Amino acid sequence: MGTVVLVGAQWGDEGKGKVTDFLAARADIVVRYQGGNNAGHTVVVGEEEFRLHLLPSGILHPEKTCVIGNGVVVDPAVLVGEIESLKRRGIKMARLLISERAHLIFPYHRLLDGAEEKRKGNGRIGTTGRGIGPAYVDKMARVGIRMSDLLEDATFSRRLEENVTFKNALLERVYDAEGVSLPEIFDAYREYAAILREYVADTGVFLHQAITAGKNVLFEGAQGTLLDIDHGTYPFVTSSSPTAGGACLGAGIGPRVIDRVLGIAKAYTTRVGGGPFPTELKDELGEKIRDQGREFGTTTGRARRCGWFDAVIARYAARVNGLDYLCVTKLDVLTGIPVLKICRAYRYQGKEITDFPASTSVLEACEPVYEELPGWEEDITGARRLEDLPENTRRYLERLSSLAGLPVALIGVGPRREQTIVCHDAFAC
Ligand code: GDP
Ligand code: IMO
Ligand code: MG
């Protein structure tokens, strides 16, 4: 398998968790490299459903190692809760390592996230409210607190006090909100430190040694290309780098050790939160896709906005991530729709454009240019080979692949592990 980076090619929720869990069988190590518990990755194994927010989606394979890289922002309350919930369910977890360089999320980050959204009013981003943005702000402002600080009592106490003093002033005087209690946070975080200490390590050294020894490593992106702080639909983005380059920064590896990059895309498109979405369906068909695809957020339960597959986005994702293959998920959800549309270009001020625009107002003014293809009625959830799919399903896939300019490696025809069709051995590195 070598080293494979798996990224979301749309606005998140593409089914990265399921694909990571599926591919983890062939990996030795699964690494999360950015984001935090804004992510919600649903993995279905047998009759059981697991909703993971911080633990990498390889965690259900007990013989593997999972790594939370330095680029992740860790809310220790959520992480401890997730570990304990798996233990309570009797799940034997993969070995877990957490980077000592990973930054922490504190209660004041969550409060600031909410206060800032409230201040923005109608212009709000629609964040998950998990404190992700403010935690990355602190990291960049060089006032963040890292996992290694949490394990050193004196350093932790000093840095926490500095932060709480300033954040309380900000909350109370600028946002007219209530501040937080320093002793309460200190005590709670001391308890998290006691639980998490055994997992904290220099994961950069671990990954370097593993890659040098020829281990198979899967880097699991959270969110998606269009939520990337640089390449996404700014400002309606998250505060990290979900694109493939983020794997280098967020895991501490060099770009030359990456063998393959896989883009995960739904057979249609969804988005949660605010921001432009050219192929959005605001009608009954959008609702039908939402119902059939159970498109409600894993983290916040919000209804996801649904629309047609957008090949302009797929080509953009191919370029900024250097994708080798596309994995097309949730193809089964399109069953029973008589005519399917794929957006091949945008029309802007009377001209066709094929490059994804940077400006929000330009994107909002873009009209999708569609191709139409006939749908299919057959149930495809039992298909396990490409040949098992109806002719119209294969034609849809072929067109999607050709417009995206990428070969398709995997196809998802249902949420379970085994509901996966492997078309290309993208992992024979
Ligand atoms: P992620 O954030 O990219 O991991 O995606 P989510 O887990 O938030 O959302 C994807 C949802 O679709 C989850 O509920 C999955 O169980 C489900 N899912 C994944 N792949 C498929 C598929 O091929 N078909 C169907 N019907 N559901 C899928
Ligand atoms: P997974 O990993 C879909 C969206 C939020 C909001 C914007 C910023 O499950 O694909 P944030 O809380 O990150 O500051 O919110 O990003 N968002 C996601 N949308 N899937 C996700 O993760 C997301 N994580 C954040 O809805 O629009
Ligand atoms: Mg999700």
Side-chain angles (χ1 to χ4, degrees):
M1 181 187 206
T3 48
V4 175
V5 177
L6 186 155
V7 297
Q10 297 162 325
W11 275 288
D13 301 325
E14 298 91 346
K16 300 174 295 292
K18 181 208 155 175
V19 177
T20 301
D21 168 71
F22 178 78
L23 293 179
R26 304 173 67 162
D28 300 301
I29 301 162
V30 180
V31 187
R32 269 281 305 268
Y33 58 85
Q34 47 67 233
N37 58 307
N38 47 349
H41 302 163
T42 304
V43 177
V44 183
V45 184
E47 295 307 311
E48 287 210 71
E49 186 175 282
F50 300 88
R51 290 168 174 223
L52 304 167
H53 299 284
L54 267 171
L55 290 170
S57 304
I59 201 74
L60 305 172
H61 295 260
E63 69 287 9
K64 315 287 176 184
T65 299
C66 281
V67 173
I68 296 180
N70 58 276
V72 175
V73 283
V74 178
D75 186 328
V78 174
L79 183 56
V80 166
E82 230 165 77
I83 294 170
E84 283 174 356
S85 143
L86 287 187
K87 282 189 181 159
R88 264 200 311 278
R89 286 172 77 170
I91 305 297
K92 195 162 168 358
M93 283 188 354
R95 175 185 173 211
L96 177 67
L97 297 176
I98 308 166
S99 169
E100 53 195 7
R101 289 181 171 81
H103 280 248
L104 293 168
I105 297 181
F106 287 89
Y108 50 78
H109 290 131
R110 282 194 299 275
L111 292 174
L112 287 167
D113 194 349
E116 186 52 20
E117 284 282 270
K118 195 170 153 204
R119 186 190 68 80
K120 287 189 173 123
N122 285 339
R124 69 184 171 275
I125 295 165
T127 73
T128 59
R130 301 301 191 260
I132 306 298
Y136 279 114
V137 165
D138 279 4
K139 173 176 174 171
M140 293 305 174
R142 296 162 293 183
V143 296
I145 302 179
R146 303 194 294 176
M147 209 43 105
S148 57
D149 302 322
L150 179 66
L151 303 185
E152 294 168 16
D153 271 356
T155 315
F156 181 64
S157 163
R158 179 171 51 80
R159 305 214 51 183
L160 184 66
E161 187 175 349
E162 284 163 6
N163 268 285
V164 167
T165 307
F166 180 68
K167 297 312 194 287
N168 276 351
L170 197 57
L171 282 163
E172 288 159 10
R173 291 193 227 147
V174 175
Y175 290 105
D176 198 19
E178 232 175 273
V180 294
S181 150
L182 176 63
E184 267 176 36
I185 299 181
F186 185 76
D187 291 347
Y189 277 62
R190 282 263 298 251
E191 282 181 29
Y192 303 139
I195 299 169
L196 296 177
R197 183 177 292 276
E198 64 171 299
Y199 304 109
V200 179
D202 190 333
T203 53
V205 171
F206 170 78
L207 286 172
H208 177 75
Q209 287 171 350
I211 292 169
T212 308
K215 300 279 187 207
N216 295 322
V217 187
L218 183 58
F219 296 90
E220 176 194 16
Q223 288 81 49
T225 302
L226 294 186
L227 290 172
D228 186 279
I229 187 78
D230 284 280
H231 304 292
T233 44
Y234 194 89
F236 298 97
V237 292
T238 191
S239 301
S240 68
S241 304
T243 43
C248 296
L249 303 170
I253 54 158
R256 289 168 64 185
V257 304
I258 296 171
D259 294 314
R260 294 276 185 284
V261 186
L262 305 185
I264 317 298
K266 279 175 187 163
Y268 49 96
T269 311
T270 64
R271 165 159 218 179
V272 202
F277 178 177
T279 64
E280 183 169 12
L281 287 164
K282 293 181 178 159
D283 55 9
E284 279 167 20
L285 190 53
E287 271 172 41
K288 184 179 158 117
I289 294 176
R290 183 178 309 127
D291 287 346
Q292 287 188 188
R294 296 168 62 200
E295 295 295 355
F296 296 91
T298 310
T299 301
T300 56
R302 286 178 293 176
R304 294 174 181 155
R305 298 155 66 191
C306 298
W308 295 118
F309 186 86
D310 187 333
V312 179
I313 290 175
R315 284 193 300 269
Y316 180 61
R319 172 161 64 80
V320 299
N321 293 293
L323 298 183
D324 294 294
Y325 291 96
L326 206 59
C327 300
V328 180
T329 62
K330 307 194 83 161
L331 189 59
D332 53 299
V333 174
L334 296 182
T335 299
I337 300 175
V339 178
L340 300 172
K341 293 186 187 181
I342 302 180
C343 168
R344 65 166 177 80
Y346 299 149
R347 187 166 293 111
Y348 177 67
Q349 294 184 337
K351 288 204 190 92
E352 271 195 23
I353 57 170
T354 49
D355 283 320
F356 194 73
S359 152
T360 304
S361 53
V362 171
L363 190 58
E364 270 166 355
C366 281
E367 290 281 332
V369 179
Y370 287 118
E371 284 190 10
E372 291 191 357
L373 285 101
W376 59 90
E377 288 291 332
E378 298 89 332
D379 178 0
I380 61 168
T381 55
R384 296 294 174 266
R385 297 167 311 156
L386 209 49
E387 306 85 83
D388 298 338
L389 294 174
E391 199 185 323
N392 281 355
T393 319
R394 274 184 283 161
R395 274 173 59 191
Y396 178 76
L397 270 175
E398 275 161 26
R399 194 62 195 137
L400 191 153
S401 159
S402 123
L403 285 172
L406 288 169
V408 174
L410 287 184
I411 301 163
V413 290
R416 291 164 192 267
R417 253 184 206 168
E418 64 277 12
Q419 290 178 305
T420 308
I421 300 173
V422 179
C423 320
H424 265 287
D425 196 357
F427 325 106
C429 300

